[in-house]
Amino acid sequence: TMDKPTAMVSDYVKEKGINLTKISKETGIAYSTLYDSLLNKNRDRNLRGGELIAICSFLGLNPMELTKGAS
């Protein structure tokens, strides 16, 4: 199952309709990595720390808010 920060970023990206290609180009994270972590229900890949920070920076989110109460 997705960890809490990955799930929160996934929900945010889906709600806002943010294009993964754009995130990939701006963060340098491979599209396939983003897809597997955020949208692919058949994969169970949580975002790595550096990926989470880069994506949050791109989205203007505070990663500390996403990790509160994370397990």
Side-chain angles (χ1 to χ4, degrees):
T1 61
M2 256 185 215
D3 65 16
K4 185 177 176 184
T6 300
M8 291 178 79
V9 171
S10 176
D11 290 345
Y12 185 87
V13 166
K14 286 184 232 173
E15 285 171 17
K16 302 287 185 186
I18 299 167
N19 186 299
L20 292 187
T21 301
K22 184 169 176 137
I23 298 173
S24 175
K25 286 180 182 172
E26 294 292 325
T27 63
I29 302 168
Y31 176 90
S32 59
T33 299
L34 292 169
Y35 181 80
D36 283 345
S37 293
L38 302 178
L39 300 179
N40 189 349
K41 299 285 187 222
N42 297 320
R43 289 287 306 255
D44 192 17
R45 185 193 184 279
N46 291 317
L47 291 168
R48 310 301 189 256
E51 295 166 354
L52 179 66
I53 300 295
I55 294 167
C56 285
S57 177
F58 170 75
L59 297 174
L61 300 174
N62 180 349
M64 296 309 291
E65 291 298 312
L66 299 178
T67 57
K68 285 183 180 170
S71 53

